[in-house]
Amino acid sequence: MPTLILVRHGRSTANTEGLLAGWTPGVALDERGAAQAAALPGRLAGLPLAEVVASPLQRCQETIRPLLDARPGLRAHTDERIGECHYGDWSGRKLAELKDEPLMEVVQAHPSAAAFPGGESMRAMQTRAAEAVREWNARVERDHGRDAVYLMCSHGDIIKSLVADALGLHLDLFQRISVEPCSVTAIRYTRLRPFLVRLGDTGDFASLAPRETPQEGDAPVGGGAGAP
């Protein structure tokens, strides 16, 4: 079966403002995010991509644009099932405010039981994304062969949930996974099992350096802004 390249969108204006964007319209890449997207074609130059599938949200569409411009023959598709989690009433709010919401403890410690007010549950988010991957795996294999490589551009929580699915991890453990903006995660699917062959690779180790403000133990909902 195919190899899936999962790319998180580049850093967005919501990331830098500390907002939980969700499906809020008009959330674009910031200056750094645009530079990350511009570098993506070079980072992926050695990969014969068969298809590109992207979330419909603006920040993902902007992330894949330089790649599509560099490969005019590459077919692009939009799939709402790999769009961001529907955070409902939490969408557009400051993450600093949401820390004190009782639901945040559930999101951190027991996400399989978390459902956002006016939005969807994290289990539903993972289910729709995993179903999309399985359908695209079959389609890409049918159209391009079993060794094909294709790319999906999506969001932090979606990618983390797909990694958990590939590893057979319970959703309650997915907050242990980290994927920075414009990072590359690769999963090679086979008849028996998936293999996680890259996780959150940015080619930049700056995010591993100690920070002036110590990092907390909570996972950043939505994926975080990456290295400072």
Side-chain angles (χ1 to χ4, degrees):
M1 296 178 71
T3 295
L4 170 60
I5 307 299
L6 288 162
V7 175
R8 187 183 166 201
H9 61 78
R11 197 174 74 175
S12 72
T13 53
N15 292 145
T16 48
E17 292 169 11
L19 300 175
L20 186 61
W23 284 70
T24 305
V27 176
L29 299 182
D30 67 6
E31 185 176 352
R32 180 171 178 177
Q36 290 170 332
L40 195 58
R43 292 170 62 198
L44 301 177
L47 290 177
L49 297 174
E51 309 272 0
V52 169
V53 187
S55 157
L57 294 172
Q58 180 178 339
R59 52 198 183 272
C60 286
Q61 296 290 325
E62 290 180 351
T63 298
I64 63 168
R65 178 49 50 195
L67 178 64
L68 297 176
D69 288 345
R71 302 195 193 192
L74 188 57
R75 287 193 296 176
H77 312 268
T78 297
D79 193 326
E80 290 196 358
R81 294 174 297 176
I82 61 166
E84 181 63 284
C85 185
H86 292 276
Y87 295 117
D89 297 344
W90 279 25
S91 299
R93 290 182 60 187
K94 286 274 189 184
L95 287 164
E97 296 173 3
L98 294 170
K99 279 182 59 177
D100 298 326
E101 294 279 355
L103 178 60
M104 182 60 84
E105 185 178 3
V106 182
V107 170
Q108 291 292 327
H110 191 20
S112 66
F116 296 98
E120 70 178 334
S121 69
M122 301 198 91
R123 280 188 303 159
M125 172 201 75
Q126 183 187 43
T127 297
R128 64 172 163 85
E131 287 178 350
V133 166
R134 284 161 174 73
E135 288 182 21
W136 277 103
N137 281 349
R139 178 172 173 176
V140 170
E141 181 175 4
R142 180 197 67 205
D143 294 345
H144 302 282
R146 59 184 297 179
D147 294 324
V149 180
Y150 75 107
L151 181 146
M152 281 186 168
C153 183
S154 188
H155 306 266
D157 281 348
I158 294 287
I159 294 173
K160 288 163 57 177
S161 75
L162 289 172
V163 170
D165 175 74
L167 292 176
L169 290 178
H170 196 284
L171 184 61
D172 286 346
L173 301 179
F174 100 127
Q175 297 291 27
R176 301 182 183 196
I177 299 165
S178 176
V179 289
E180 292 195 2
C182 224
S183 62
V184 172
T185 294
I187 302 171
R188 186 171 73 248
Y189 289 87
T190 74
R191 184 172 62 85
L192 295 181
R193 65 183 63 85
F195 292 89
L196 178 65
V197 292
R198 291 288 189 281
L199 176 61
D201 188 345
T202 63
D204 179 1
F205 297 106
S207 64
L208 303 180
R211 300 190 184 184
E212 292 182 9
T213 304
Q215 292 179 272
E216 297 181 5
D218 285 350
V221 181

